[in-house]
Amino acid sequence: MKNLLFLTAVMMAVCTPSKAQTMAPDYKGNDHNNPISANIFCADPTALEYNGRMYVYGSNDHQQFIKNGKKGENNYGEIKSIVVFSTDDMVNWTFHGTIDTKKLCASWVSNPWYVGYGVSWAPSVTWRHNEETDEDEFFLYFCNSSHGVGVLKANSPIGPWKSPNNKLMINYDTPGANAAGTNANFDPGVVIDDNGVGWISFGGLGPSTVMPEAARIVKLKPSMTEVDGPAVKIHAPYHFEANELNVIGGKYVYTYCTNWADRSGTASDWNAYKTKTGYSGSAPNSCTMAYMVSDDPSNPDSWVYKGVYGPHPGMGTNNNHSHLQKFQGKYYHIYHGAPLMESWRAAGVIESNCGIFRSICVNRATVSEGTQTINQVSTNLEGAGQIKNLNPYEWQQAETMASCGGVEYEDFTNIQKNGRISTLGNDASENMQVKMKAGSWINVRGINYGETGAEKFTLRAKGTATIELRNGTSSRTKVATIEFSSTDMEEQTFEVPADKLKGVRSNLYIYVVDATNFYVDAWQFSNESSGIQDVETNTSAVVGRYDLSGRRIPEGQQHSGVVIERTADGNYRKVLLRRQ
């Protein structure tokens, strides 16, 4: 297998038959859609919309957690990869693995001012269609600690990625990047404007004052991999870090996290700033998300401070980093907190003095595009509402879940020592699988089985397991028991009671009662009569196929596994292809 995704029981041994008396604990909660992952620590989110899905990227806090032996402080020094998730309904998230930045950027050169590759923090991502090559291009930027900003390039949202440069794209030698009193060329925020021009903001850790003058923005060349001219300042009050950019209503919107300057002690400076700029509001609180608007990003005096839109998230975290993303016509505030860490710590899964390992969360945002006004957002565990029901009559990856219990990704941090088994590298694979053990479970939410209900359940897996399908929330009522056994990866179909898998159901749990070397690839329900039509699956002509990473599959190319088909009416559906 090119890539292998292990989900292993928390703190349990591997590859031995076992039996569970009860389902593993739920550390996320039945009514909680935040965080997006119930078993991966990740932070500093960014996002893009592509082919009907939202892709979210983040710093891989879990890599530091594993390197620490699941204890100790998070000093971010071992974060050397970027996690990737995606969703089409804002509740059920697919984990696509990690981008191995350490491997991709190993050849970066150093000089006395900056170092070669060391870490990868705070990614920012964008994409465009290149009319000359007729290809979609994706650009992922991240900071190499405080030394500068690097860039990766790909032709799909999750790779394969490559480093187009042999060093940091932005570093201390970049004109305008380094100035007295600032020392961090980090936390990039990229956008491509309505004219197709790329811009990137960065900077932070200036003096803790009203006007640190540590925020920067620079134009990018058409390649998107080089800067075009010197960086200029953004006069951002109380600026600290977490830079991101958007274009809303034809204007540039810059967001950032505020610093910890003493607000009472700087009242006179804030009043002076208000007098100078005409702003009438109060100073932003510490560690909040503020924003500014401009119609000429290269002019430092064009940026207008608009206030705070994102509060300190709380949830156990001591910092703030967010991205504003429009998806399916609605805006979302994507940020990090530490609710999963707090749940694990309270339950004794990790030590009580374990440091802060963060989790990505999402809540709705309200934006007036005409005035570039962002209303104050709420941050809570309820999260964003589901915008569409999951279609159980399409193939679903095992890595797609709203929550899970008793499982933990062990082999996604690029530290696997067994050379016979490949770690997840810099792109996804149709062979990505989930290893499940006794007591573990996967949960998907908001499923529409249609008016007649599901009659059969097909599982693509390998190994031996007793599996229960369960409905409901806290009760988790058993509706079917499946005995699966196969020495090879194959599909097996089982009869299920249609009267218990009918209409819209809030939850489906795939619960492994006991298992031996059990790997799950994908699953699907079916109804031989009318179930498929009941959930609005269409029969429109297929005009394009894509693998699960978003890469287009050339016509005539042999491919097996779950793929995404784009139909002539503009919809998307998942199907399973088998090699002939």
Side-chain angles (χ1 to χ4, degrees):
M1 301 172 187
K2 181 181 176 184
N3 290 327
L4 188 61
L5 176 63
F6 287 105
L7 272 79
T8 57
V10 177
M11 313 302 182
M12 295 177 65
V14 180
C15 295
T16 57
S18 56
K19 202 161 186 91
Q21 301 300 316
T22 59
M23 296 178 74
D26 183 353
Y27 296 111
K28 180 171 176 177
N30 295 322
D31 300 324
H32 296 163
N33 293 318
N34 280 330
I36 67 171
S37 174
N39 55 358
I40 295 179
F41 294 124
C42 45
D44 306 324
T46 188
L48 59 80
E49 179 176 0
Y50 182 70
N51 276 359
R53 297 188 69 83
M54 179 194 288
Y55 289 81
V56 173
Y57 307 72
S59 301
N60 191 352
D61 274 23
H62 210 86
Q63 188 167 17
Q64 181 76 57
F65 179 68
I66 296 295
K67 191 70 174 180
N68 283 8
K70 304 174 184 176
K71 59 184 179 182
E73 292 299 317
N74 185 1
N75 63 15
Y76 317 124
E78 295 298 330
I79 297 177
K80 302 178 186 295
S81 57
I82 294 168
V83 299
V84 188
F85 293 85
S86 74
T87 185
D88 64 357
D89 64 17
M90 301 308 299
V91 168
N92 298 297
W93 293 85
T94 301
F95 174 60
H96 294 283
T98 64
I99 302 169
D100 188 352
T101 50
K102 179 180 179 181
K103 177 181 178 181
L104 293 171
C105 306
S107 62
W108 280 5
V109 299
S110 305
N111 79 6
W113 276 94
Y114 56 87
V115 300
Y117 177 82
V119 293
S120 49
W121 301 345
S124 186
V125 67
T126 191
W127 75 280
R128 69 183 179 189
H129 182 73
N130 189 319
E131 297 293 343
E132 294 183 2
T133 63
D134 196 29
E135 290 184 339
D136 294 335
E137 297 177 326
F138 297 80
F139 301 93
L140 181 67
Y141 305 82
F142 64 89
C143 63
N144 186 31
S145 182
S146 63
H147 291 278
V149 175
V151 58
L152 301 176
K153 184 179 179 181
N155 292 117
S156 91
I158 60 173
W161 297 90
K162 63 181 180 180
S163 175
N165 302 330
N166 67 350
K167 62 181 181 180
L168 290 164
M169 185 185 77
I170 295 172
N171 53 58
Y172 291 127
D173 290 334
T174 301
N178 194 33
T182 66
N183 61 358
N185 295 321
F186 75 161
D187 283 15
V190 68
V191 74
I192 297 176
D193 67 21
D194 296 338
N195 297 314
V197 178
W199 299 86
I200 192 165
S201 57
F202 62 95
L205 301 188
S208 193
T209 61
V210 171
M211 193 54 65
E213 298 288 27
R216 300 287 186 275
I217 189 168
V218 66
K219 184 180 177 182
L220 296 175
K221 290 184 177 180
S223 67
M224 296 291 291
T225 61
E226 297 178 273
V227 300
D228 187 3
V232 299
K233 292 180 181 179
I234 299 177
H235 300 305
Y238 293 106
H239 173 267
F240 185 63
E241 60 182 6
N243 315 281
E244 274 281 22
L245 286 173
N246 284 275
V247 172
I248 300 175
K251 293 193 176 184
Y252 303 83
V253 177
Y254 167 66
T255 61
Y256 64 95
C257 178
T258 60
N259 64 22
W260 279 261
D262 179 16
R263 300 316 195 246
S264 61
T266 58
S268 61
D269 292 332
W270 178 247
N271 288 334
Y273 174 81
K274 292 200 298 181
T275 299
K276 179 180 178 180
T277 62
Y279 182 74
S280 59
S282 58
N285 290 332
S286 301
C287 202
T288 56
M289 298 304 302
Y291 71 112
M292 305 183 75
V293 175
S294 169
D295 55 10
D296 182 6
S298 61
N299 178 4
D301 296 326
S302 71
W303 289 96
V304 177
Y305 178 74
K306 300 272 284 188
V308 170
Y309 74 94
H312 187 294
M315 301 184 183
T317 188
N318 60 351
N319 57 23
N320 204 347
H321 195 122
S322 74
H323 174 68
L324 188 69
Q325 179 64 42
K326 189 176 183 180
F327 176 64
Q328 301 290 302
K330 299 178 180 178
Y331 281 92
Y332 293 89
H333 175 61
I334 312 174
Y335 60 100
H336 67 229
L340 181 62
M341 177 213 67
E342 288 197 315
S343 293
W344 283 16
R345 194 156 56 185
V349 175
I350 56 177
E351 296 178 0
S352 60
N353 62 349
C354 187
I356 297 174
F357 294 90
R358 302 160 295 178
S359 296
I360 293 175
C361 303
V362 183
N363 283 88
R364 280 289 311 277
T366 301
V367 178
S368 172
E369 294 186 334
T371 61
Q372 297 80 44
T373 301
I374 311 172
N375 290 357
Q376 182 90 1
V377 299
S378 297
T379 57
N380 53 52
L381 293 178
E382 181 181 354
Q386 192 165 1
I387 62 174
K388 60 179 287 190
N389 289 319
L390 182 141
N391 185 346
Y393 301 107
E394 294 180 334
W395 280 98
Q396 302 293 336
Q397 293 174 260
E399 305 85 39
T400 298
M401 58 187 78
S403 187
C404 59
V407 296
E408 177 179 303
Y409 296 99
E410 291 279 6
D411 191 39
F412 83 112
T413 55
N414 306 302
I415 58 174
Q416 171 66 268
K417 303 302 182 184
N418 187 346
R420 294 174 301 171
I421 301 175
S422 298
T423 59
L424 291 176
N426 65 331
D427 63 338
S429 167
E430 64 185 81
N431 295 322
M432 185 182 287
Q433 300 162 14
V434 165
K435 182 174 184 182
M436 300 189 71
K437 309 222 32 178
S440 60
W441 50 269
I442 292 172
N443 163 236
V444 293
R445 298 177 180 171
I447 311 101
N448 186 358
Y449 294 101
E451 294 180 3
T452 57
E455 297 175 344
K456 295 181 180 180
F457 176 74
T458 301
L459 188 68
R460 179 172 169 81
K462 176 183 178 181
T464 301
T466 299
I467 305 156
E468 292 181 357
L469 302 181
R470 295 190 174 193
N471 274 339
T473 53
S474 58
S475 60
R476 301 183 185 181
T477 305
K478 181 174 67 174
V479 298
T481 300
I482 292 167
E483 299 288 345
F484 185 98
S485 183
S486 174
T487 57
D488 298 312
M489 180 62 66
E490 69 174 22
E491 301 148 41
Q492 293 184 10
T493 299
F494 306 87
E495 300 288 336
V496 293
D499 61 323
K500 296 181 180 179
L501 296 164
K502 184 177 181 180
V504 177
R505 297 281 180 153
S506 59
N507 287 274
L508 169 70
Y509 292 87
I510 301 174
Y511 164 44
V512 176
V513 180
D514 64 81
T516 303
N517 297 330
F518 184 54
Y519 299 84
V520 183
D521 183 29
W523 58 269
Q524 180 190 45
F525 286 92
S526 60
N527 183 314
E528 293 181 350
S529 55
S530 61
I532 294 179
Q533 283 72 38
D534 285 340
V535 290
E536 300 178 359
T537 297
N538 64 75
T539 57
S540 181
V542 175
V543 296
R545 284 195 174 104
Y546 302 82
D547 65 20
L548 293 174
S549 70
R551 291 187 293 267
R552 188 181 181 93
I553 301 170
E555 187 174 353
Q557 176 178 305
Q558 289 291 311
H559 189 93
S560 65
V562 181
V563 302
I564 299 171
E565 290 185 339
R566 181 165 62 89
T567 57
D569 56 8
N571 290 313
Y572 297 88
R573 64 192 180 202
K574 292 179 185 174
V575 298
L576 180 66
L577 298 183
R578 302 170 179 84
R579 274 199 186 93
Q580 302 300 318

